[in-house]
Amino acid sequence: MQLRTHVVFSIGLTTLIESTLGISNIILILGSSLVLSYLINFLIDALGHEEKNGFIRRSPRTHTMGRSFTLGLIISLLVALFLYYMTPIGSYKALIIVLMGPVIGWSHMLLDALTENGIYVKRRGRWVRFALAHFKYNNIALNWLFIIIGIIMLIRSLIIY
């Protein structure tokens, strides 16, 4: 999937989860979701794509369930600590923000697993590709479908608020 699709989808997903779990500050919900979604999705792609024989391809550096979880957790922990010490958000809201990082990492893997190049899983000690479907990463209909789903989740989260 394209970066914008990952970002919009994970903004919608995290705002929906945060509002459902009781964060009632709309600025905190939107701000944390936007920052985390962009940073984590950007870093997963920036650190996890490599050039080989003139082609850019995914690598197991970040495109695994465990490594995307870890990267998301580290980034969200840093953002939550910053917010906790710089604003009066409290430990419960900070914990929810920390938990959104792994959610974003895994949502990135879900969307990439729908593409032809998939994600990496370990089988018999080696990294192999795994794909749920084999759509092209830039499939217009699929990218727009997940952008629309992200927007619907965002709107739904604002209604809960």
Side-chain angles (χ1 to χ4, degrees):
M1 296 283 170
Q2 296 176 323
L3 179 61
R4 69 172 175 247
T5 305
H6 286 295
V7 171
V8 172
F9 181 78
S10 59
I11 287 172
L13 180 62
T14 55
T15 56
L16 184 62
I17 293 170
E18 287 178 358
S19 62
T20 302
L21 292 176
I23 295 182
S24 58
N25 183 337
I26 193 69
I27 294 171
L28 179 62
I29 291 172
L30 290 174
S32 65
S33 293
L34 194 137
V35 167
L36 287 175
S37 295
Y38 183 77
L39 282 176
I40 294 168
N41 284 304
F42 175 79
L43 286 173
I44 286 174
D45 281 346
L47 298 173
H49 289 176
E50 61 189 18
E51 186 177 335
K52 191 170 189 176
N53 298 329
F55 295 100
I56 296 175
R57 66 181 195 101
R58 294 179 189 137
S59 75
R61 192 175 306 125
T62 59
H63 283 82
T64 70
M65 294 299 286
R67 291 175 180 171
S68 64
F69 179 96
T70 304
L71 181 62
L73 183 64
I74 291 168
I75 299 301
S76 63
L77 182 62
L78 294 172
V79 169
L81 284 172
F82 175 80
L83 289 172
Y84 181 79
Y85 286 110
M86 300 307 277
T87 63
I89 65 169
S91 57
Y92 177 71
K93 292 176 183 173
L95 176 63
I96 291 173
I97 291 170
V98 169
L99 296 175
M100 292 305 104
V103 168
I104 293 168
W106 280 351
S107 74
H108 191 110
M109 293 305 103
L110 171 66
L111 296 184
D112 277 354
L114 297 173
T115 64
E116 60 191 352
N117 293 325
I119 61 172
Y120 287 90
V121 295
K122 204 144 209 184
R123 289 200 186 126
R124 298 184 190 138
R126 293 185 53 215
W127 290 112
V128 296
R129 291 181 187 262
F130 170 79
L132 293 170
H134 294 280
F135 295 104
K136 292 200 175 289
Y137 83 96
N138 60 355
N139 181 302
I140 294 170
L142 193 65
N143 276 278
W144 273 105
L145 172 67
F146 282 99
I147 287 172
I148 290 168
I149 291 170
I151 292 169
I152 290 170
M153 288 188 291
L154 176 61
I155 291 168
R156 178 68 178 125
S157 68
L158 297 176
I159 293 170
I160 291 173
Y161 166 73

